[in-house]
Amino acid sequence: MPTVLRIVATIALAGTVTGAGIVVGSAGSAPVETMRRVAVIGLGGTIAGTSDRRTDLETYRPGTRPIVELVDSLRPEVGELAALSTEDFGQKGSGDYTVADIYDLARLVERRLEDHDSVVVSTGSATMEELSYFLDLTVRSTKPVVVTGAMRPWTAIGSDGPVNLYNAIRLAASNRTTCFGTVITLNDQILPARDATKTDSTRVNTFTTREYGDLGTIDQAGIRLQRAPARVRYCDDPARWTTPFDLTTINNGTLPRVDIVHSYLGAPAEPITAAVAAGAKGMVFAGTPSPDQATAAMAAKGVALVATNAYGSGAITVDPKMGVVSGGDLAPKKARLLLLLALARTTDHDQIVAWFGEYGNQQF
């Protein structure tokens, strides 16, 4: 049986986190060196939000509470899961972060995995699916990386933040998603970064995977895994498990600009020509281009083009003679990140096509 699917028999015992995020043993706990070590990194977002009234579910100030405060409020229960360290990467809404910021986050996650058994990232839901997929493509450790957040601020009645954070730490500490890459857990669901998408602006069950279903669930009875990402087949072969997108070989300051162009009835060419003039090196189409868009795109020499669907699911097939890369069934926002990383390595069309097939649309 592959290592990734073995049931972990023991879960680490208690630890406490001081205000500075230093791990110390709690009374009656196992020695610190015997516990699983989980790094919890906070980025703000709704989960760290503060509302004026407990009944304010949708009006609040995001990112106002440090991650150590959120973790400490889950004591003593969370201390029964693992030895924890905490740190804030930032305290703002997820939409305020940039690709360059997420590059730095991925490097931080990699560093923490050097001396921790797993990492939990707490962030806002608006760009969670993009942040998670970027980590999925770039983090080279096979250790678990779990992303979580909330749809209601921490201070609201019925906030989903506390249970989501607790479950994320629980999942990370279990080691059950080793070699899964980055996963998302909210609303008792476990979702793969590649497939997860936000579908509702207010409901706590907003994240789904459209066609393929959840990886599993997490509730009081336990963690249940029903499927795994295709990359687990290479769990015992790290050279094949990792992607070509090693950030130690990619300069953050030279990440290429890649834009998304949405297609609609009579869509004009100007957004494409403006993006190219502004320095875009890649273009992802969300939907079938209009005639004007297609003409402008084909005239943009040296700009990589990727076709994706705009319908939430379903794969895209393109004529290879057109020089356009098929995004398969990748969502436009995720195809953009894969193209961005690919262009940071090469401009060779055939290589980019191969990477979209191998890493963007992995199959068993």
Side-chain angles (χ1 to χ4, degrees), residues 227-233 361-364:
R227 73 178 182 97
R231 67 191 306 187
V232 300
R233 59 190 163 152
N361 292 274
Q362 282 189 338
Q363 302 176 42
F364 281 104

Side-chain angles (χ1 to χ4, degrees), residues 17-22 37-44 65-69 71 84-91 104-105 107-113 115-116 119-122:
V17 179
T18 69
I22 306 300
R37 288 177 51 82
V38 179
V40 185
I41 302 172
L43 274 74
R65 295 173 177 269
I67 192 63
V68 67
E69 177 184 327
V71 170
L84 305 174
S85 67
T86 60
E87 63 187 298
D88 284 298
F89 178 84
Q91 289 180 275
D104 290 338
L105 173 66
R107 297 296 302 273
L108 174 62
V109 168
E110 199 76 73
R111 291 195 300 273
R112 293 297 169 263
L113 289 173
D115 57 6
H116 289 75
V119 166
V120 169
V121 175
S122 174

Side-chain angles (χ1 to χ4, degrees), residues 235-258:
C235 189
D236 295 327
D237 186 357
R240 297 190 69 185
W241 185 89
T242 55
T243 74
F245 313 121
D246 182 353
L247 294 185
T248 64
T249 67
I250 297 174
N251 189 323
N252 192 358
T254 60
L255 290 172
R257 173 173 172 167
V258 175

